[in-house]
Amino acid sequence: MPVPSSLKSKLSAAEEVVKECQKNPSLLNEPELLFMKKFVDGEPVEIDDDDDVPPELEEVDESGNAAPASAPTSEAAVPNEEEGTIPPEKQPFPMIPKNADETPEDADWSIAGEKKSQASAAASEGNYDDALKFYGEALEAEAVTASLSATTLAKRADILLKLDRPAAAVHDCDAALIINPDSVRALKTRGKANRRLGYWTKANLDLAAAQNIDYDPDLAELCSLVKDKAASELAKERDAERKKELEERKKKAAEEHRKKMQQEEAERAASSGPGMGGGMPGMGGGIPGMDPDLMASLQNPKVIVFNFISLITI
């Protein structure tokens, strides 16, 4: 079986990982590489890829051509039934077809229109799975004629949201907004999807942008809820930053105090060191009342030796 094209670009990186593990086998005990250790040992391997975008998925750039899927968001969503939030789904995102470089001479524009009509009819009857299928076929037909539509992407995103697939809905809306940054439908749908995921700040930005372009009174209540949640989220982030900054200041002050105490201790030790000053401590360099000449002779080594010999021969 040949290596899938989506993996070929990653082979060199995998080879580097293997080489490093050969040099230092203890790396296999790291959490990030534990799956490799299990694989080598013949154990079942389970890889949590909740945050990974499947490599075959693509979204379009400004010209409508396929571009690498965007990196997963770093914002953490915490599922909360009371707030109506859910975690990102594990299902792969629907494919976003690559736009043709140019419109073919025999382009059939009716296919996309027919598929969109079928999708709209299915959605109106609550058949969202069928609607999703038809919108996917409509996008493929648009791509063939180099006319991939932001509106069609946003409509499919709305269906995905109804199917409780908010992460996939965000993915479609991201692609739609690259084609048309002012797509109100895409901004609204992405805002609602981010709200379902609990990404309050992102939801607030999208919904506010949509309302600025085309105000929708039916969206006012949701906008108010999201705005309050985003403000609370921002306040928590700022509080966490302040606590972190205060902790860093405390550590810095403690370190400066420790260094100061060490310096003062070193200075005290240096100033209280031993020293006779040429005589008995506190005696001003000699014995009070002693003749200076006698004192000088006592400091002469030869005189000291002579006096010592004289002393022991008495």
Side-chain angles (χ1 to χ4, degrees):
M1 177 180 176
V3 177
S5 58
S6 60
L7 295 180
K8 288 182 178 179
S9 61
K10 302 177 182 179
L11 291 178
S12 59
E15 184 178 0
E16 290 297 321
V17 173
V18 172
K19 287 181 179 179
E20 289 299 321
C21 289
Q22 287 176 332
K23 295 177 184 177
N24 184 7
S26 63
L27 287 174
L28 291 172
N29 294 319
E30 294 297 324
E32 297 87 346
L33 297 178
L34 195 57
F35 73 95
M36 284 186 63
K37 185 175 186 297
K38 290 183 177 180
F39 177 76
V40 172
D41 293 340
E43 299 179 22
V45 179
E46 294 183 4
I47 300 177
D48 185 4
D49 57 356
D50 290 1
D51 294 329
D52 292 336
V53 177
E56 69 274 10
L57 297 181
E58 295 177 322
E59 60 187 35
V60 295
D61 59 19
E62 294 178 359
S63 63
N65 295 321
S70 58
T73 177
S74 60
E75 187 178 0
V78 179
N80 188 317
E81 292 183 3
E82 292 182 1
E83 294 179 345
T85 60
I86 60 175
E89 67 275 11
K90 296 183 178 181
Q91 295 169 266
F93 300 158
M95 176 69 75
I96 297 176
K98 181 180 179 180
N99 221 12
D101 294 332
E102 58 183 24
T103 304
E105 295 181 0
D106 59 345
D108 186 350
W109 307 94
S110 65
I111 298 176
E114 180 183 348
K115 294 297 180 182
K116 285 186 281 188
S117 295
Q118 291 175 325
S120 179
S124 64
E125 295 174 2
N127 298 326
Y128 299 128
D129 288 324
D130 288 343
L132 181 63
K133 172 179 172 291
F134 288 132
Y135 274 128
E137 293 173 354
L139 288 168
E140 290 176 2
E142 288 179 344
V144 168
T145 58
S147 59
L148 198 63
S149 166
T151 300
T152 307
L153 282 165
K155 286 182 177 180
R156 187 174 74 170
D158 186 58
I159 297 299
L160 287 165
L161 187 56
K162 286 180 169 64
L163 290 170
D164 281 338
R165 298 178 62 183
V170 169
H171 184 254
D172 269 9
C173 289
D174 286 345
L177 290 166
I178 291 174
I179 298 173
N180 178 14
D182 294 327
S183 171
V184 174
R185 184 186 292 270
L187 287 169
K188 284 182 180 180
T189 303
R190 191 171 71 175
K192 293 175 182 178
N194 278 322
R195 176 257 181 275
R196 284 286 281 149
L197 290 167
Y199 300 156
W200 302 108
T201 300
K202 291 181 178 181
N204 183 49
L205 291 172
D206 283 338
L207 293 175
Q211 292 291 73
N212 285 336
I213 296 172
D214 184 14
Y215 182 78
D216 181 358
D218 295 334
L219 211 60
E221 185 176 351
L222 177 61
C223 287
S224 178
L225 168 68
V226 168
K227 184 177 180 180
D228 290 343
K229 293 290 184 181
S232 176
E233 189 175 69
L234 181 61
K236 289 179 181 178
E237 290 176 0
R238 288 178 176 174
D239 186 52
E241 289 176 0
R242 281 194 294 267
K243 288 181 179 179
K244 182 179 179 181
E245 183 180 353
L246 180 60
E247 190 65 26
E248 289 176 352
R249 286 181 180 178
K250 288 180 179 179
K251 288 181 180 180
K252 184 178 179 180
E255 180 64 16
E256 290 177 351
H257 178 71
R258 184 185 66 80
K259 290 181 178 179
K260 183 179 179 181
M261 295 299 292
Q262 286 181 340
Q263 184 178 359
E264 291 178 354
E265 182 64 25
E267 290 174 354
R268 281 196 297 269
S271 62
S272 62
M276 300 298 291
M280 298 291 290
M283 301 301 290
I287 300 174
M290 178 175 285
D291 181 80
D293 293 335
L294 178 58
M295 186 64 191
S297 67
L298 290 176
Q299 293 179 353
N300 188 321
K302 293 181 180 181
V303 174
I304 294 173
V305 172
F306 176 78
N307 290 336
F308 177 74
I309 295 173
S310 300
L311 181 62
I312 62 176
T313 54
I314 294 176

